[in-house]
PDB file of all heavy atoms in Angstrom:
ATOM      1  N   GLU O  37       0.430   8.325   2.021  1.00  0.00           N
ATOM      2  CA  GLU O  37       1.755   8.687   2.518  1.00  0.00           C
ATOM      3  C   GLU O  37       2.857   7.993   1.730  1.00  0.00           C
ATOM      4  O   GLU O  37       3.877   8.594   1.409  1.00  0.00           O
ATOM      5  CB  GLU O  37       1.867   8.338   4.010  1.00  0.00           C
ATOM      6  CG  GLU O  37       1.116   9.290   4.914  1.00  0.00           C
ATOM      7  CD  GLU O  37       1.632  10.711   4.799  1.00  0.00           C
ATOM      8  OE1 GLU O  37       2.852  10.915   4.946  1.00  0.00           O
ATOM      9  OE2 GLU O  37       0.823  11.615   4.527  1.00  0.00           O
ATOM     10  N   ALA O  38       2.640   6.729   1.425  1.00  0.00           N
ATOM     11  CA  ALA O  38       3.643   5.999   0.641  1.00  0.00           C
ATOM     12  C   ALA O  38       3.797   6.608  -0.743  1.00  0.00           C
ATOM     13  O   ALA O  38       4.913   6.785  -1.245  1.00  0.00           O
ATOM     14  CB  ALA O  38       3.244   4.529   0.533  1.00  0.00           C
ATOM     15  N   GLY O  39       2.683   6.949  -1.367  1.00  0.00           N
ATOM     16  CA  GLY O  39       2.752   7.554  -2.695  1.00  0.00           C
ATOM     17  C   GLY O  39       3.395   8.930  -2.688  1.00  0.00           C
ATOM     18  O   GLY O  39       4.076   9.316  -3.635  1.00  0.00           O
ATOM     19  N   ALA O  40       3.195   9.683  -1.599  1.00  0.00           N
ATOM     20  CA  ALA O  40       3.755  11.037  -1.518  1.00  0.00           C
ATOM     21  C   ALA O  40       5.251  11.026  -1.226  1.00  0.00           C
ATOM     22  O   ALA O  40       5.982  11.913  -1.671  1.00  0.00           O
ATOM     23  CB  ALA O  40       3.033  11.837  -0.438  1.00  0.00           C
ATOM     24  N   ARG O  41       5.737  10.033  -0.493  1.00  0.00           N
ATOM     25  CA  ARG O  41       7.146  10.009  -0.081  1.00  0.00           C
ATOM     26  C   ARG O  41       8.063   9.326  -1.096  1.00  0.00           C
ATOM     27  O   ARG O  41       9.253   9.534  -1.099  1.00  0.00           O
ATOM     28  CB  ARG O  41       7.277   9.299   1.271  1.00  0.00           C
ATOM     29  CG  ARG O  41       6.443   9.912   2.368  1.00  0.00           C
ATOM     30  CD  ARG O  41       6.922  11.307   2.754  1.00  0.00           C
ATOM     31  NE  ARG O  41       5.947  11.950   3.638  1.00  0.00           N
ATOM     32  CZ  ARG O  41       5.201  12.962   3.307  1.00  0.00           C
ATOM     33  NH1 ARG O  41       5.290  13.459   2.090  1.00  0.00           N
ATOM     34  NH2 ARG O  41       4.358  13.512   4.146  1.00  0.00           N
ATOM     35  N   LEU O  42       7.506   8.475  -1.942  1.00  0.00           N
ATOM     36  CA  LEU O  42       8.307   7.771  -2.939  1.00  0.00           C
ATOM     37  C   LEU O  42       8.498   8.645  -4.176  1.00  0.00           C
ATOM     38  O   LEU O  42       7.763   9.611  -4.380  1.00  0.00           O
ATOM     39  CB  LEU O  42       7.626   6.454  -3.322  1.00  0.00           C
ATOM     40  CG  LEU O  42       7.603   5.375  -2.232  1.00  0.00           C
ATOM     41  CD1 LEU O  42       6.734   4.207  -2.668  1.00  0.00           C
ATOM     42  CD2 LEU O  42       9.013   4.887  -1.923  1.00  0.00           C
ATOM     43  N   PRO O  43       9.494   8.312  -5.021  1.00  0.00           N
ATOM     44  CA  PRO O  43       9.634   9.033  -6.297  1.00  0.00           C
ATOM     45  C   PRO O  43       8.339   9.000  -7.100  1.00  0.00           C
ATOM     46  O   PRO O  43       7.528   8.083  -6.948  1.00  0.00           O
ATOM     47  CB  PRO O  43      10.760   8.274  -7.003  1.00  0.00           C
ATOM     48  CG  PRO O  43      11.551   7.661  -5.904  1.00  0.00           C
ATOM     49  CD  PRO O  43      10.570   7.342  -4.806  1.00  0.00           C
ATOM     50  N   THR O  44       8.159   9.975  -7.996  1.00  0.00           N
ATOM     51  CA  THR O  44       6.876  10.185  -8.660  1.00  0.00           C
ATOM     52  C   THR O  44       6.348   8.936  -9.350  1.00  0.00           C
ATOM     53  O   THR O  44       5.212   8.513  -9.118  1.00  0.00           O
ATOM     54  CB  THR O  44       7.011  11.318  -9.690  1.00  0.00           C
ATOM     55  OG1 THR O  44       7.518  12.487  -9.034  1.00  0.00           O
ATOM     56  CG2 THR O  44       5.665  11.640 -10.309  1.00  0.00           C
ATOM     57  N   LYS O  45       7.155   8.326 -10.204  1.00  0.00           N
ATOM     58  CA  LYS O  45       6.674   7.176 -10.964  1.00  0.00           C
ATOM     59  C   LYS O  45       6.367   5.993 -10.057  1.00  0.00           C
ATOM     60  O   LYS O  45       5.357   5.295 -10.221  1.00  0.00           O
ATOM     61  CB  LYS O  45       7.702   6.792 -12.021  1.00  0.00           C
ATOM     62  CG  LYS O  45       7.892   7.853 -13.098  1.00  0.00           C
ATOM     63  CD  LYS O  45       8.880   7.403 -14.150  1.00  0.00           C
ATOM     64  CE  LYS O  45       9.029   8.478 -15.228  1.00  0.00           C
ATOM     65  NZ  LYS O  45      10.007   8.085 -16.275  1.00  0.00           N
ATOM     66  N   VAL O  46       7.240   5.752  -9.079  1.00  0.00           N
ATOM     67  CA  VAL O  46       7.020   4.644  -8.151  1.00  0.00           C
ATOM     68  C   VAL O  46       5.801   4.931  -7.278  1.00  0.00           C
ATOM     69  O   VAL O  46       4.991   4.047  -7.004  1.00  0.00           O
ATOM     70  CB  VAL O  46       8.267   4.408  -7.280  1.00  0.00           C
ATOM     71  CG1 VAL O  46       8.041   3.253  -6.312  1.00  0.00           C
ATOM     72  CG2 VAL O  46       9.477   4.134  -8.149  1.00  0.00           C
ATOM     73  N   GLY O  47       5.639   6.179  -6.863  1.00  0.00           N
ATOM     74  CA  GLY O  47       4.508   6.556  -6.019  1.00  0.00           C
ATOM     75  C   GLY O  47       3.176   6.343  -6.704  1.00  0.00           C
ATOM     76  O   GLY O  47       2.209   5.872  -6.106  1.00  0.00           O
ATOM     77  N   GLN O  48       3.100   6.706  -7.990  1.00  0.00           N
ATOM     78  CA  GLN O  48       1.860   6.489  -8.738  1.00  0.00           C
ATOM     79  C   GLN O  48       1.542   4.998  -8.848  1.00  0.00           C
ATOM     80  O   GLN O  48       0.393   4.584  -8.717  1.00  0.00           O
ATOM     81  CB  GLN O  48       1.992   7.102 -10.135  1.00  0.00           C
ATOM     82  CG  GLN O  48       2.059   8.620 -10.131  1.00  0.00           C
ATOM     83  CD  GLN O  48       2.312   9.184 -11.514  1.00  0.00           C
ATOM     84  OE1 GLN O  48       2.591   8.450 -12.459  1.00  0.00           O
ATOM     85  NE2 GLN O  48       2.222  10.506 -11.635  1.00  0.00           N
ATOM     86  N   THR O  49       2.575   4.192  -9.069  1.00  0.00           N
ATOM     87  CA  THR O  49       2.365   2.748  -9.176  1.00  0.00           C
ATOM     88  C   THR O  49       1.878   2.167  -7.859  1.00  0.00           C
ATOM     89  O   THR O  49       0.955   1.347  -7.828  1.00  0.00           O
ATOM     90  CB  THR O  49       3.667   2.061  -9.602  1.00  0.00           C
ATOM     91  OG1 THR O  49       4.139   2.647 -10.818  1.00  0.00           O
ATOM     92  CG2 THR O  49       3.458   0.566  -9.815  1.00  0.00           C
ATOM     93  N   ILE O  50       2.503   2.602  -6.753  1.00  0.00           N
ATOM     94  CA  ILE O  50       2.099   2.117  -5.430  1.00  0.00           C
ATOM     95  C   ILE O  50       0.640   2.468  -5.154  1.00  0.00           C
ATOM     96  O   ILE O  50      -0.139   1.648  -4.650  1.00  0.00           O
ATOM     97  CB  ILE O  50       3.016   2.711  -4.347  1.00  0.00           C
ATOM     98  CG1 ILE O  50       4.409   2.069  -4.404  1.00  0.00           C
ATOM     99  CG2 ILE O  50       2.411   2.518  -2.953  1.00  0.00           C
ATOM    100  CD1 ILE O  50       4.437   0.616  -4.018  1.00  0.00           C
ATOM    101  N   GLY O  51       0.231   3.716  -5.471  1.00  0.00           N
ATOM    102  CA  GLY O  51      -1.134   4.142  -5.198  1.00  0.00           C
ATOM    103  C   GLY O  51      -2.164   3.329  -5.959  1.00  0.00           C
ATOM    104  O   GLY O  51      -3.186   2.907  -5.397  1.00  0.00           O
ATOM    105  N   ILE O  52      -1.909   3.103  -7.240  1.00  0.00           N
ATOM    106  CA  ILE O  52      -2.890   2.392  -8.070  1.00  0.00           C
ATOM    107  C   ILE O  52      -2.895   0.899  -7.753  1.00  0.00           C
ATOM    108  O   ILE O  52      -3.924   0.308  -7.418  1.00  0.00           O
ATOM    109  CB  ILE O  52      -2.593   2.634  -9.562  1.00  0.00           C
ATOM    110  CG1 ILE O  52      -2.739   4.125  -9.894  1.00  0.00           C
ATOM    111  CG2 ILE O  52      -3.529   1.810 -10.425  1.00  0.00           C
ATOM    112  CD1 ILE O  52      -2.266   4.496 -11.283  1.00  0.00           C
ATOM    113  N   VAL O  53      -1.714   0.273  -7.856  1.00  0.00           N
ATOM    114  CA  VAL O  53      -1.621  -1.168  -7.644  1.00  0.00           C
ATOM    115  C   VAL O  53      -1.966  -1.535  -6.208  1.00  0.00           C
ATOM    116  O   VAL O  53      -2.708  -2.490  -5.945  1.00  0.00           O
ATOM    117  CB  VAL O  53      -0.203  -1.667  -8.016  1.00  0.00           C
ATOM    118  CG1 VAL O  53      -0.062  -3.158  -7.702  1.00  0.00           C
ATOM    119  CG2 VAL O  53       0.085  -1.391  -9.472  1.00  0.00           C
ATOM    120  N   GLY O  54      -1.438  -0.754  -5.247  1.00  0.00           N
ATOM    121  CA  GLY O  54      -1.713  -1.046  -3.835  1.00  0.00           C
ATOM    122  C   GLY O  54      -3.187  -0.964  -3.516  1.00  0.00           C
ATOM    123  O   GLY O  54      -3.733  -1.817  -2.796  1.00  0.00           O
ATOM    124  N   GLY O  55      -3.872   0.080  -4.056  1.00  0.00           N
ATOM    125  CA  GLY O  55      -5.300   0.200  -3.787  1.00  0.00           C
ATOM    126  C   GLY O  55      -6.108  -0.949  -4.349  1.00  0.00           C
ATOM    127  O   GLY O  55      -6.995  -1.487  -3.677  1.00  0.00           O
ATOM    128  N   ILE O  56      -5.779  -1.341  -5.566  1.00  0.00           N
ATOM    129  CA  ILE O  56      -6.529  -2.444  -6.189  1.00  0.00           C
ATOM    130  C   ILE O  56      -6.262  -3.758  -5.457  1.00  0.00           C
ATOM    131  O   ILE O  56      -7.199  -4.505  -5.124  1.00  0.00           O
ATOM    132  CB  ILE O  56      -6.148  -2.558  -7.684  1.00  0.00           C
ATOM    133  CG1 ILE O  56      -6.595  -1.302  -8.444  1.00  0.00           C
ATOM    134  CG2 ILE O  56      -6.762  -3.813  -8.302  1.00  0.00           C
ATOM    135  CD1 ILE O  56      -6.127  -1.257  -9.883  1.00  0.00           C
ATOM    136  N   VAL O  57      -4.997  -4.060  -5.212  1.00  0.00           N
ATOM    137  CA  VAL O  57      -4.638  -5.346  -4.603  1.00  0.00           C
ATOM    138  C   VAL O  57      -5.178  -5.460  -3.185  1.00  0.00           C
ATOM    139  O   VAL O  57      -5.824  -6.456  -2.824  1.00  0.00           O
ATOM    140  CB  VAL O  57      -3.110  -5.529  -4.619  1.00  0.00           C
ATOM    141  CG1 VAL O  57      -2.699  -6.748  -3.797  1.00  0.00           C
ATOM    142  CG2 VAL O  57      -2.597  -5.656  -6.045  1.00  0.00           C
ATOM    143  N   ILE O  58      -4.930  -4.429  -2.370  1.00  0.00           N
ATOM    144  CA  ILE O  58      -5.358  -4.495  -0.968  1.00  0.00           C
ATOM    145  C   ILE O  58      -6.885  -4.493  -0.869  1.00  0.00           C
ATOM    146  O   ILE O  58      -7.473  -5.241  -0.071  1.00  0.00           O
ATOM    147  CB  ILE O  58      -4.759  -3.328  -0.172  1.00  0.00           C
ATOM    148  CG1 ILE O  58      -3.234  -3.466  -0.106  1.00  0.00           C
ATOM    149  CG2 ILE O  58      -5.339  -3.271   1.239  1.00  0.00           C
ATOM    150  CD1 ILE O  58      -2.538  -2.310   0.564  1.00  0.00           C
ATOM    151  N   GLY O  59      -7.551  -3.656  -1.682  1.00  0.00           N
ATOM    152  CA  GLY O  59      -9.013  -3.620  -1.650  1.00  0.00           C
ATOM    153  C   GLY O  59      -9.636  -4.951  -2.048  1.00  0.00           C
ATOM    154  O   GLY O  59     -10.528  -5.475  -1.357  1.00  0.00           O
ATOM    155  N   THR O  60      -9.145  -5.509  -3.132  1.00  0.00           N
ATOM    156  CA  THR O  60      -9.698  -6.802  -3.590  1.00  0.00           C
ATOM    157  C   THR O  60      -9.412  -7.906  -2.583  1.00  0.00           C
ATOM    158  O   THR O  60     -10.296  -8.726  -2.273  1.00  0.00           O
ATOM    159  CB  THR O  60      -9.087  -7.165  -4.954  1.00  0.00           C
ATOM    160  OG1 THR O  60      -9.321  -6.099  -5.877  1.00  0.00           O
ATOM    161  CG2 THR O  60      -9.697  -8.438  -5.486  1.00  0.00           C
ATOM    162  N   ALA O  61      -8.179  -7.921  -2.060  1.00  0.00           N
ATOM    163  CA  ALA O  61      -7.805  -8.983  -1.112  1.00  0.00           C
ATOM    164  C   ALA O  61      -8.596  -8.883   0.185  1.00  0.00           C
ATOM    165  O   ALA O  61      -9.005  -9.905   0.749  1.00  0.00           O
ATOM    166  CB  ALA O  61      -6.308  -8.903  -0.824  1.00  0.00           C
ATOM    167  N   SER O  62      -8.850  -7.662   0.674  1.00  0.00           N
ATOM    168  CA  SER O  62      -9.578  -7.510   1.937  1.00  0.00           C
ATOM    169  C   SER O  62     -11.025  -7.947   1.791  1.00  0.00           C
ATOM    170  O   SER O  62     -11.610  -8.529   2.719  1.00  0.00           O
ATOM    171  CB  SER O  62      -9.506  -6.049   2.412  1.00  0.00           C
ATOM    172  OG  SER O  62     -10.130  -5.186   1.468  1.00  0.00           O
ATOM    173  N   VAL O  63     -11.650  -7.706   0.620  1.00  0.00           N
ATOM    174  CA  VAL O  63     -13.020  -8.155   0.399  1.00  0.00           C
ATOM    175  C   VAL O  63     -13.079  -9.679   0.279  1.00  0.00           C
ATOM    176  O   VAL O  63     -13.937 -10.330   0.882  1.00  0.00           O
ATOM    177  CB  VAL O  63     -13.599  -7.484  -0.872  1.00  0.00           C
ATOM    178  CG1 VAL O  63     -14.951  -8.097  -1.227  1.00  0.00           C
ATOM    179  CG2 VAL O  63     -13.753  -5.982  -0.660  1.00  0.00           C
ATOM    180  N   GLU O  64     -12.150 -10.251  -0.471  1.00  0.00           N
ATOM    181  CA  GLU O  64     -12.138 -11.703  -0.636  1.00  0.00           C
ATOM    182  C   GLU O  64     -11.810 -12.428   0.666  1.00  0.00           C
ATOM    183  O   GLU O  64     -12.288 -13.545   0.902  1.00  0.00           O
ATOM    184  CB  GLU O  64     -11.142 -12.093  -1.721  1.00  0.00           C
ATOM    185  CG  GLU O  64     -11.557 -11.662  -3.121  1.00  0.00           C
ATOM    186  CD  GLU O  64     -10.566 -12.069  -4.180  1.00  0.00           C
ATOM    187  OE1 GLU O  64      -9.487 -12.605  -3.788  1.00  0.00           O
ATOM    188  OE2 GLU O  64     -10.837 -11.869  -5.373  1.00  0.00           O
ATOM    189  N   ALA O  65     -11.008 -11.805   1.526  1.00  0.00           N
ATOM    190  CA  ALA O  65     -10.660 -12.424   2.806  1.00  0.00           C
ATOM    191  C   ALA O  65     -11.757 -12.266   3.834  1.00  0.00           C
ATOM    192  O   ALA O  65     -11.676 -12.845   4.923  1.00  0.00           O
ATOM    193  CB  ALA O  65      -9.358 -11.815   3.334  1.00  0.00           C
ATOM    194  N   GLY O  66     -12.761 -11.459   3.529  1.00  0.00           N
ATOM    195  CA  GLY O  66     -13.867 -11.283   4.455  1.00  0.00           C
ATOM    196  C   GLY O  66     -13.583 -10.309   5.573  1.00  0.00           C
ATOM    197  O   GLY O  66     -14.244 -10.338   6.616  1.00  0.00           O
ATOM    198  N   LEU O  67     -12.582  -9.415   5.397  1.00  0.00           N
ATOM    199  CA  LEU O  67     -12.278  -8.422   6.429  1.00  0.00           C
ATOM    200  C   LEU O  67     -13.122  -7.165   6.275  1.00  0.00           C
ATOM    201  O   LEU O  67     -13.403  -6.476   7.261  1.00  0.00           O
ATOM    202  CB  LEU O  67     -10.791  -8.050   6.373  1.00  0.00           C
ATOM    203  CG  LEU O  67      -9.797  -9.168   6.718  1.00  0.00           C
ATOM    204  CD1 LEU O  67      -8.363  -8.673   6.540  1.00  0.00           C
ATOM    205  CD2 LEU O  67     -10.016  -9.649   8.153  1.00  0.00           C
ATOM    206  N   THR O  68     -13.498  -6.827   5.059  1.00  0.00           N
ATOM    207  CA  THR O  68     -14.316  -5.640   4.811  1.00  0.00           C
ATOM    208  C   THR O  68     -15.384  -5.982   3.775  1.00  0.00           C
ATOM    209  O   THR O  68     -15.242  -6.932   3.003  1.00  0.00           O
ATOM    210  CB  THR O  68     -13.461  -4.472   4.265  1.00  0.00           C
ATOM    211  OG1 THR O  68     -12.845  -4.877   3.039  1.00  0.00           O
ATOM    212  CG2 THR O  68     -12.394  -4.061   5.265  1.00  0.00           C
ATOM    213  N   SER O  69     -16.435  -5.190   3.762  1.00  0.00           N
ATOM    214  CA  SER O  69     -17.493  -5.387   2.789  1.00  0.00           C
ATOM    215  C   SER O  69     -17.203  -4.570   1.541  1.00  0.00           C
ATOM    216  O   SER O  69     -16.545  -3.527   1.599  1.00  0.00           O
ATOM    217  CB  SER O  69     -18.844  -4.964   3.378  1.00  0.00           C
ATOM    218  OG  SER O  69     -18.857  -3.568   3.613  1.00  0.00           O
ATOM    219  N   ASN O  70     -17.710  -5.028   0.421  1.00  0.00           N
ATOM    220  CA  ASN O  70     -17.479  -4.314  -0.831  1.00  0.00           C
ATOM    221  C   ASN O  70     -18.198  -2.967  -0.859  1.00  0.00           C
ATOM    222  O   ASN O  70     -17.761  -2.020  -1.503  1.00  0.00           O
ATOM    223  CB  ASN O  70     -17.903  -5.174  -2.024  1.00  0.00           C
ATOM    224  CG  ASN O  70     -19.290  -5.772  -1.823  1.00  0.00           C
ATOM    225  OD1 ASN O  70     -20.049  -5.332  -0.945  1.00  0.00           O
ATOM    226  ND2 ASN O  70     -19.633  -6.767  -2.630  1.00  0.00           N
ATOM    227  N   VAL O  71     -19.304  -2.854  -0.118  1.00  0.00           N
ATOM    228  CA  VAL O  71     -20.031  -1.575  -0.058  1.00  0.00           C
ATOM    229  C   VAL O  71     -19.185  -0.514   0.638  1.00  0.00           C
ATOM    230  O   VAL O  71     -19.050   0.618   0.156  1.00  0.00           O
ATOM    231  CB  VAL O  71     -21.386  -1.751   0.664  1.00  0.00           C
ATOM    232  CG1 VAL O  71     -22.070  -0.394   0.840  1.00  0.00           C
ATOM    233  CG2 VAL O  71     -22.280  -2.704  -0.105  1.00  0.00           C
ATOM    234  N   LEU O  72     -18.603  -0.892   1.782  1.00  0.00           N
ATOM    235  CA  LEU O  72     -17.766   0.075   2.502  1.00  0.00           C
ATOM    236  C   LEU O  72     -16.517   0.412   1.699  1.00  0.00           C
ATOM    237  O   LEU O  72     -16.036   1.557   1.749  1.00  0.00           O
ATOM    238  CB  LEU O  72     -17.381  -0.471   3.877  1.00  0.00           C
ATOM    239  CG  LEU O  72     -16.507   0.454   4.731  1.00  0.00           C
ATOM    240  CD1 LEU O  72     -17.223   1.778   4.982  1.00  0.00           C
ATOM    241  CD2 LEU O  72     -16.141  -0.202   6.052  1.00  0.00           C
ATOM    242  N   LEU O  73     -15.964  -0.538   0.993  1.00  0.00           N
ATOM    243  CA  LEU O  73     -14.799  -0.270   0.157  1.00  0.00           C
ATOM    244  C   LEU O  73     -15.101   0.806  -0.873  1.00  0.00           C
ATOM    245  O   LEU O  73     -14.304   1.724  -1.094  1.00  0.00           O
ATOM    246  CB  LEU O  73     -14.350  -1.562  -0.539  1.00  0.00           C
ATOM    247  CG  LEU O  73     -13.123  -1.446  -1.440  1.00  0.00           C
ATOM    248  CD1 LEU O  73     -11.898  -1.041  -0.635  1.00  0.00           C
ATOM    249  CD2 LEU O  73     -12.867  -2.761  -2.170  1.00  0.00           C
ATOM    250  N   ILE O  74     -16.277   0.734  -1.495  1.00  0.00           N
ATOM    251  CA  ILE O  74     -16.685   1.756  -2.460  1.00  0.00           C
ATOM    252  C   ILE O  74     -16.865   3.111  -1.772  1.00  0.00           C
ATOM    253  O   ILE O  74     -16.440   4.155  -2.281  1.00  0.00           O
ATOM    254  CB  ILE O  74     -17.990   1.326  -3.159  1.00  0.00           C
ATOM    255  CG1 ILE O  74     -17.753   0.068  -3.993  1.00  0.00           C
ATOM    256  CG2 ILE O  74     -18.538   2.459  -4.034  1.00  0.00           C
ATOM    257  CD1 ILE O  74     -19.017  -0.529  -4.572  1.00  0.00           C
ATOM    258  N   ILE O  75     -17.477   3.105  -0.584  1.00  0.00           N
ATOM    259  CA  ILE O  75     -17.727   4.355   0.147  1.00  0.00           C
ATOM    260  C   ILE O  75     -16.410   5.038   0.527  1.00  0.00           C
ATOM    261  O   ILE O  75     -16.246   6.250   0.330  1.00  0.00           O
ATOM    262  CB  ILE O  75     -18.581   4.069   1.397  1.00  0.00           C
ATOM    263  CG1 ILE O  75     -20.019   3.724   0.981  1.00  0.00           C
ATOM    264  CG2 ILE O  75     -18.566   5.269   2.336  1.00  0.00           C
ATOM    265  CD1 ILE O  75     -20.904   3.321   2.134  1.00  0.00           C
ATOM    266  N   VAL O  76     -15.464   4.273   1.068  1.00  0.00           N
ATOM    267  CA  VAL O  76     -14.185   4.851   1.481  1.00  0.00           C
ATOM    268  C   VAL O  76     -13.402   5.349   0.274  1.00  0.00           C
ATOM    269  O   VAL O  76     -12.756   6.417   0.335  1.00  0.00           O
ATOM    270  CB  VAL O  76     -13.366   3.804   2.271  1.00  0.00           C
ATOM    271  CG1 VAL O  76     -11.952   4.310   2.533  1.00  0.00           C
ATOM    272  CG2 VAL O  76     -14.043   3.482   3.593  1.00  0.00           C
ATOM    273  N   ALA O  77     -13.450   4.625  -0.832  1.00  0.00           N
ATOM    274  CA  ALA O  77     -12.753   5.069  -2.036  1.00  0.00           C
ATOM    275  C   ALA O  77     -13.347   6.376  -2.559  1.00  0.00           C
ATOM    276  O   ALA O  77     -12.609   7.298  -2.957  1.00  0.00           O
ATOM    277  CB  ALA O  77     -12.834   3.981  -3.102  1.00  0.00           C
ATOM    278  N   LEU O  78     -14.680   6.495  -2.547  1.00  0.00           N
ATOM    279  CA  LEU O  78     -15.318   7.737  -2.981  1.00  0.00           C
ATOM    280  C   LEU O  78     -14.995   8.896  -2.036  1.00  0.00           C
ATOM    281  O   LEU O  78     -14.796  10.041  -2.474  1.00  0.00           O
ATOM    282  CB  LEU O  78     -16.833   7.544  -3.069  1.00  0.00           C
ATOM    283  CG  LEU O  78     -17.344   6.675  -4.219  1.00  0.00           C
ATOM    284  CD1 LEU O  78     -18.851   6.469  -4.098  1.00  0.00           C
ATOM    285  CD2 LEU O  78     -17.002   7.313  -5.564  1.00  0.00           C
ATOM    286  N   ALA O  79     -14.947   8.607  -0.735  1.00  0.00           N
ATOM    287  CA  ALA O  79     -14.600   9.650   0.239  1.00  0.00           C
ATOM    288  C   ALA O  79     -13.172  10.151   0.021  1.00  0.00           C
ATOM    289  O   ALA O  79     -12.905  11.359   0.091  1.00  0.00           O
ATOM    290  CB  ALA O  79     -14.756   9.118   1.660  1.00  0.00           C
ATOM    291  N   ALA O  80     -12.246   9.227  -0.252  1.00  0.00           N
ATOM    292  CA  ALA O  80     -10.860   9.625  -0.536  1.00  0.00           C
ATOM    293  C   ALA O  80     -10.780  10.444  -1.811  1.00  0.00           C
ATOM    294  O   ALA O  80     -10.072  11.460  -1.879  1.00  0.00           O
ATOM    295  CB  ALA O  80      -9.977   8.386  -0.633  1.00  0.00           C
ATOM    296  N   LEU O  81     -11.525  10.025  -2.825  1.00  0.00           N
ATOM    297  CA  LEU O  81     -11.548  10.768  -4.086  1.00  0.00           C
ATOM    298  C   LEU O  81     -12.124  12.166  -3.902  1.00  0.00           C
ATOM    299  O   LEU O  81     -11.615  13.146  -4.459  1.00  0.00           O
ATOM    300  CB  LEU O  81     -12.362   9.984  -5.122  1.00  0.00           C
ATOM    301  CG  LEU O  81     -12.399  10.549  -6.542  1.00  0.00           C
ATOM    302  CD1 LEU O  81     -11.003  10.547  -7.150  1.00  0.00           C
ATOM    303  CD2 LEU O  81     -13.361   9.752  -7.405  1.00  0.00           C
ATOM    304  N   ALA O  82     -13.170  12.268  -3.096  1.00  0.00           N
ATOM    305  CA  ALA O  82     -13.794  13.574  -2.847  1.00  0.00           C
ATOM    306  C   ALA O  82     -12.841  14.518  -2.121  1.00  0.00           C
ATOM    307  O   ALA O  82     -12.847  15.740  -2.353  1.00  0.00           O
ATOM    308  CB  ALA O  82     -15.076  13.394  -2.045  1.00  0.00           C
TER     309      ALA O  82
END
């Protein structure tokens, strides 16, 4: 939603950077497992 509502260039940056930062931080913080992170990312891509 953030990527769709923001201007094109900013939206692309938010999608890529936000996904990497939040995904990495959530695994390192112990909130989610790296296996589920891969599964959810593949489901979104599909």
Side-chain angles (χ1 to χ4, degrees):
E37 285 300 307
R41 303 293 170 249
L42 291 172
T44 305
K45 294 182 179 179
V46 180
Q48 292 175 352
T49 305
I50 288 292
I52 297 171
V53 176
I56 295 173
V57 171
I58 294 176
T60 304
S62 62
V63 172
E64 292 180 354
L67 295 177
T68 60
S69 66
N70 48 15
V71 175
L72 180 59
L73 181 63
I74 295 173
I75 289 175
V76 172
L78 289 175
L81 185 63

